[in-house]
Amino acid sequence: MKSHTQVVVIGGGVVGCSVLYHLTKAGWKDVVLLERDELTSGSTWHAAGGMHTLNGDPNVAKLQRYTIDLYKEIEEISGQSCGVHMTGGLMLANTESWLDYLKVAQGRSRVLGLDNEFVSMAEAKAMHPLLNEERFVGALYDPLEGHIDPSGVTHAYAKAARVGGAEIERFTRVTDLQSRPDGGWDVITDKGTIQAEHVVNAGGLWAREVGRMVGLELPILAMEHQYLVTDEIPEVAARETELPHCIDFGGEIYMRQERSGLVMGTYEKGGVPWSERQTPWDFGHELLQPDLDRISDNLEVAFDHFPVLGEAGIKQVINGPFTFAPDGNPLVGPVRGLKNFWVACGVMAGFSQGGGVGLALSSWMIDGDPGLDIFAMDVARFGDFATMAYTNAKVRENYGRRFKITFPNEELPAARPLRTTPVYERFKAQNAVFGAGYGLETPLWFAPEGAEPVETPSYRRSNAFEPVKEECHAVREAVGLIETSGFAKYEVSGAGAEGWLGEILANRMPRQGRIVLSPMLNHEGKLIGDFTVAKAGPEQFFIFGSGIAEDYHLRWFERHMAEEGVALRSLRNEMVGFSIAGPKARELLARLTAEDVSNEAFPFMAFRSMALGMVPAWVGRISFTGDLGYEIWVSPDYQLRLYDDLMAAGADLGLRHFGLRALDSLRLEKGFGTWAREFRPIYTPAEAGLDRFVDLRKNAFVGRDAVLHDREQGPKVRLVTLTVDAEAADVSGDEAVWHDGAVVGWVTSGGYAHTVDRSVALAYVPNDLATENGSFEVEIIGDRRAAQLQPEPLFDPARERMLG
């Protein structure tokens, strides 16, 4: 075993071997993989081996497509068969809701250029004669589904990596990790110590234990997972072609052919965690005790939907542990606060996602960026709120919902409430329907008095439609109040604060008492953040951004921090707030302060401290509603007093609560984009309509050279606003945009814009179509609806309300 290396990858499952291969493929040859036992010894060896492209996030689906296409490449390089059975797959719907789901999935797949198609139940029966077609209402066929040999794939990655120069040390257990002054790591094993520049935790079942070696508690948990292998089934044995892979959503089962029998697995409601606190180091090629009683309900449905199963003998029951993150997606990327420490774990669908994870992580390590939009897999999407108990509750919930629809308007209940602000109980008393983001409870909308504060999950307009409409009209016609505590808040201070901010943000910094909006770019000139920046004092700035991206942005800030003269801190627990918006917002604010808040004295984008009643506050003249409005920030101990004073002062002005659903509707009327939807690391400022907030008069800022290059080339796509001739359903995101009979773009977000009475979609389309005013269509639940491009905002295009 060598004593020095560029990268140590810990873990010899499919993910670790994929990372190793991709590092060598990208040019890093001095890399070593350490495995405590034999390759595949964790979850890999007992996996069912299915592969598919289906995923709720198109960016993850794109990586799954890459993974499937990669198998031919690693077979050729390694000479090792992956055992690929490209059988195609049927996704079966037994209810109209599941049929809607498949229509939505097909629309998303069109954006990726995937060739899914609906087939009749007669055609489905011909493909898979064992199914009972009377139990289903629709079927979607995907030619890119099938299964592989888990051991073959893992060894193909490993052999291909060795061809590229990598070394693999089996039966070598990592016992400790110690950081070095030079930013590298001492990797201590039972066979000696290796000095490494980088460490990748691909520990699988042991990823938590590896994380704990560096003081990190990763939000992952192993769950027991069972599948059956049947005896020979005559109907299967008699076939000349292999049965397609099959997912029966209503039955909550997946199925594929295995020789002359079948493999059938399920994700039961009462899933059981395995080794909740500590994974035994001596666990290896072992299985857990089967418990068929736990999946008996699923088996009953399976026997009804596939009658031959009820007559088949059971050859083997596989019960083995797999790791999950709270939302079911992998944990990938660099870890904030740990230099050169990377994770690639929680990859429960390793044979659909392992190749994509290896590609993204290797690009990130070598080029400083994953080269793809992988926020849905980024380890930074979870903050310190994702404790062991939180993870346990959410993983259990997610496991039991693996084959359940999570609708776009649905909020899941496990591990809630977790984070709350002082005003939470006040909102609860006002019949608020809450959502959770980054662990924080925030009102989505307010149910009418006497109604149950619950939203009906649906792809169509829900029972929230009319109450949200009333909230929107209250804002546009009088004044509304919304809590803004869910935004991320940061303070940057010190003699070097302004200079540092000018280097990492693309816009020029404001003068004292003013606000600017600024994108943050990576070195390729792509959007990795959009912020409101307020200069509160000579050496003090407040920055406001997306709450769900707090850890993501802190990681970037800290990795690009100036050596001296700058202090950065998160104000997540120190600052809470409200926004008041609407034509009577100024009058409401004036009733609480002796300050002059006229338009002349406190104009648009002004920022200052002022006393509101007895409460000291910071107030900014800005609103995401696109209306006259103010954001008010206070410390948590003042929030209740401020809330009561605002409600009392606004009673005769028609002051009304509004939630995030209404805010979303109002910002659509202005065409305002938002982080993680319109603004993502695959778009440039010009494409997203943010180029006016990039100040090229500055000599240097991150991404400047790339912006100059992009301006010479021109944007490839552009963000546009479309009004859609929708009826009972509006877009929610990731729908296909059609033009002249072809898919040309994709929806990023949308909904109903209540005060202009139009269904709206924000979408990216090719730049040469961004001024086209005809023949667009948007696909909503399988139905192509006519859409019209809007050249200006639907509300207040002259900005008279916002500026007045």
Side-chain angles (χ1 to χ4, degrees):
M1 184 172 69
K2 61 171 60 177
S3 59
H4 295 76
T5 190
Q6 191 169 11
V7 182
V8 164
V9 178
I10 303 173
V14 64
V15 174
C17 291
S18 170
V19 171
L20 192 73
Y21 166 67
H22 281 91
L23 287 169
T24 63
K25 181 180 179 181
W28 282 14
K29 309 294 186 179
D30 182 16
V31 292
V32 176
L33 183 145
L34 302 179
E35 164 54 44
R36 63 174 190 95
D37 202 306
E38 183 57 87
L39 298 183
T40 79
S41 292
S43 296
T44 298
W45 76 272
H46 60 72
M51 59 181 181
H52 55 84
T53 60
L54 181 68
N55 192 282
D57 187 310
N59 296 291
V60 177
K62 189 182 299 183
L63 289 176
Q64 293 180 191
R65 168 68 181 268
Y66 167 81
T67 300
I68 293 170
D69 291 343
L70 183 66
Y71 290 138
K72 182 178 180 181
E73 175 182 309
I74 61 174
E75 282 184 329
E76 291 176 351
I77 294 172
S78 67
Q80 168 72 49
S81 171
C82 292
V84 175
H85 294 249
M86 193 64 76
T87 61
L90 286 171
M91 291 170 274
L92 301 169
N94 68 323
T95 66
E96 291 300 323
S97 291
W98 275 115
L99 190 58
D100 283 350
Y101 172 87
L102 293 180
K103 291 176 181 177
V104 170
Q106 185 190 40
R108 287 174 173 163
S109 70
R110 294 190 206 279
V111 173
L112 300 176
L114 300 177
D115 191 23
N116 298 342
E117 62 174 340
F118 275 96
V119 295
S120 69
M121 287 316 304
E123 292 171 312
K125 177 76 170 179
M127 294 179 185
H128 202 305
L130 307 186
L131 64 84
N132 180 356
E133 71 273 24
E134 295 180 0
R135 296 294 184 261
F136 302 101
V137 297
L140 185 66
Y141 176 73
D142 181 359
L144 286 179
E145 285 192 24
H147 60 95
I148 48 76
D149 168 26
S151 177
V153 167
T154 306
H155 283 90
Y157 278 127
K159 290 179 180 179
R162 284 194 180 107
V163 170
E167 295 184 17
I168 295 176
E169 300 288 343
R170 298 172 301 144
F171 306 104
T172 305
R173 179 187 153 194
V174 175
T175 59
D176 199 9
L177 296 167
Q178 296 179 358
S179 61
R180 297 174 53 81
D182 61 3
W185 294 90
D186 284 335
V187 183
I188 302 169
T189 80
D190 56 4
K191 294 184 178 178
T193 298
I194 304 179
Q195 292 182 12
E197 294 176 31
H198 299 263
V199 168
V200 177
N201 177 3
L205 291 175
W206 295 269
R208 287 181 308 180
E209 284 65 36
V210 173
R212 289 167 185 162
M213 294 176 186
V214 297
L216 177 66
E217 188 65 43
L218 286 166
I220 50 177
L221 175 69
M223 297 290 290
E224 295 188 15
H225 179 66
Q226 299 184 96
Y227 65 87
L228 316 177
V229 182
T230 74
D231 287 329
E232 180 175 300
I233 297 173
E235 292 89 340
V236 176
R239 288 182 58 82
E240 295 182 0
T241 59
E242 193 168 2
L243 287 167
H245 187 272
C246 185
I247 299 177
D248 172 5
F249 291 105
E252 299 181 334
I253 59 175
Y254 61 86
M255 183 187 307
R256 68 168 176 83
Q257 185 172 332
E258 175 71 10
R259 301 182 187 275
S260 296
L262 295 171
V263 164
M264 191 213 76
T266 184
Y267 292 84
E268 68 275 16
K269 295 179 181 67
V272 175
W274 178 77
S275 292
E276 295 179 66
R277 296 186 175 276
Q278 184 82 29
T279 302
W281 283 107
D282 58 357
F283 184 80
H285 279 81
E286 303 160 48
L287 293 174
L288 309 177
Q289 186 65 34
D291 184 1
L292 292 182
D293 288 342
R294 210 165 66 221
I295 62 173
S296 59
D297 290 346
N298 303 80
L299 291 177
E300 276 190 42
V301 179
F303 297 161
D304 180 45
H305 289 187
F306 300 87
V308 71
L309 285 173
E311 303 168 7
I314 297 176
K315 182 177 182 180
Q316 188 179 15
V317 179
I318 306 293
N319 184 14
F322 289 89
T323 55
F324 295 78
D327 59 4
N329 277 336
L331 301 178
V332 179
V335 175
R336 179 184 161 217
L338 295 173
K339 186 176 181 181
N340 293 344
F341 187 85
W342 308 79
V343 296
C345 52
V347 189
M348 60 78 51
F351 298 102
S352 294
Q353 299 174 344
V357 168
L359 172 68
L361 188 67
S362 62
S363 298
W364 213 335
M365 295 174 69
I366 295 171
D367 301 328
D369 186 88
L372 303 150
D373 182 359
I374 66 160
F375 186 74
M377 299 195 301
D378 195 325
V379 65
R381 70 188 186 276
F382 295 108
D384 56 12
F385 67 89
T387 60
M388 185 181 292
Y390 171 92
T391 299
N392 192 298
K394 295 303 288 186
V395 168
R396 286 172 183 252
E397 177 184 61
N398 180 272
Y399 182 90
R401 294 184 58 88
R402 178 77 176 158
F403 288 147
K404 289 189 180 298
I405 302 171
T406 299
F407 293 94
N409 65 334
E410 189 170 8
E411 295 286 328
L412 302 181
R416 296 177 56 196
L418 179 59
R419 296 176 56 217
T420 60
T421 60
V423 80
Y424 171 76
E425 292 296 338
R426 293 281 206 279
F427 286 141
K428 192 173 179 180
Q430 293 296 321
N431 233 15
V433 179
F434 290 94
Y438 211 64
L440 180 69
E441 297 291 322
T442 305
L444 300 176
W445 57 283
F446 292 82
E449 185 177 353
E452 186 76 12
V454 175
E455 184 167 0
T456 305
S458 177
Y459 283 116
R460 292 170 170 78
R461 294 171 189 165
S462 73
N463 58 318
F465 189 82
E466 289 300 326
V468 170
K469 178 180 179 179
E470 293 179 11
E471 293 174 23
C472 291
H473 279 283
V475 173
R476 293 290 190 231
E477 296 163 16
V479 59
L481 177 146
I482 185 172
E483 186 176 21
T484 55
S485 304
F487 286 111
K489 293 90 58 179
Y490 316 93
E491 181 187 52
V492 180
S493 59
E498 185 160 355
W500 177 70
L501 285 171
E503 292 175 0
I504 65 164
L505 298 180
N507 205 352
R508 190 172 295 273
M509 291 302 98
R511 65 181 185 274
Q512 187 168 329
R514 298 292 295 170
I515 295 169
V516 297
L517 304 179
S518 178
M520 183 163 71
L521 310 178
N522 61 21
H523 294 280
E524 288 70 43
K526 302 295 179 67
L527 293 167
I528 58 170
D530 68 301
F531 297 101
T532 301
V533 183
K535 187 171 185 180
E539 297 181 358
Q540 182 187 29
F541 293 83
F542 292 121
I543 304 176
F544 305 95
S546 171
I548 63 170
E550 179 178 315
D551 220 53
Y552 175 87
H553 287 140
L554 281 171
R555 182 178 64 193
W556 182 267
F557 291 154
E558 290 168 357
R559 292 194 173 208
H560 294 80
M561 180 54 64
E563 292 185 4
E564 58 183 6
V566 182
L568 164 73
R569 65 192 183 105
S570 167
L571 301 177
R572 185 207 312 168
N573 299 320
E574 300 176 42
M575 184 180 275
V576 293
F578 300 109
S579 174
I580 55 174
K584 297 183 180 179
R586 179 181 287 115
E587 184 176 353
L588 173 57
L589 184 67
R591 291 182 178 187
L592 290 181
T593 183
E595 299 273 349
D596 182 356
V597 293
S598 67
N599 197 41
E600 293 74 22
F602 197 52
F604 183 60
M605 302 296 272
F607 187 83
R608 73 169 72 149
S609 63
M610 60 178 73
L612 301 182
M614 295 186 291
V615 175
W618 289 100
V619 181
R621 170 78 190 280
I622 190 171
S623 174
F624 199 42
T625 65
D627 214 318
L628 171 65
Y630 305 87
E631 291 181 356
I632 305 168
W633 302 99
V634 298
S635 60
D637 48 338
Y638 288 112
Q639 190 186 33
L640 282 177
R641 179 64 195 226
L642 175 61
Y643 172 79
D644 291 341
D645 288 351
L646 284 167
M647 295 307 297
D652 64 335
L653 297 176
L655 176 62
R656 178 165 178 164
H657 299 95
F658 69 106
L660 293 181
R661 294 268 195 269
L663 182 62
D664 210 39
S665 174
L666 297 168
R667 64 107 183 167
L668 290 172
E669 296 176 354
K670 291 292 292 182
F672 289 166
T674 186
W675 171 253
R677 301 304 308 180
E678 286 72 41
F679 308 147
R680 304 188 72 149
I682 53 176
Y683 306 122
T684 68
E687 291 170 340
L690 296 180
D691 43 341
R692 66 188 185 280
F693 301 118
V694 175
D695 192 341
L696 288 171
R697 293 173 297 176
K698 297 194 302 179
N699 291 328
F701 60 85
V702 176
R704 185 178 187 275
D705 290 345
V707 170
L708 286 171
H709 178 266
D710 288 340
R711 287 196 175 183
E712 292 177 2
Q713 302 296 314
K716 296 178 181 177
V717 296
R718 192 178 291 276
L719 181 65
V720 298
T721 298
L722 300 171
T723 52
V724 186
D725 295 344
E727 291 182 356
D730 305 295
V731 301
S732 58
D734 300 323
E735 292 86 355
V737 177
W738 296 73
H739 182 268
D740 287 348
V743 174
V744 297
W746 55 94
V747 172
T748 50
S749 67
Y752 202 81
H754 287 283
T755 71
V756 297
D757 203 25
R758 301 300 301 272
S759 186
V760 173
L762 299 187
Y764 279 94
V765 300
N767 185 52
D768 59 351
L769 296 178
T771 56
E772 177 69 44
N773 200 28
S775 66
F776 282 107
E777 295 174 301
V778 174
E779 186 170 344
I780 303 177
I781 319 179
D783 189 14
R784 286 158 59 176
R785 311 293 301 186
Q788 298 78 41
L789 189 145
Q790 300 300 316
E792 61 182 14
L794 299 168
F795 170 77
D796 190 27
R799 305 199 304 165
E800 294 174 355
R801 288 271 287 265
M802 190 164 63
L803 302 180

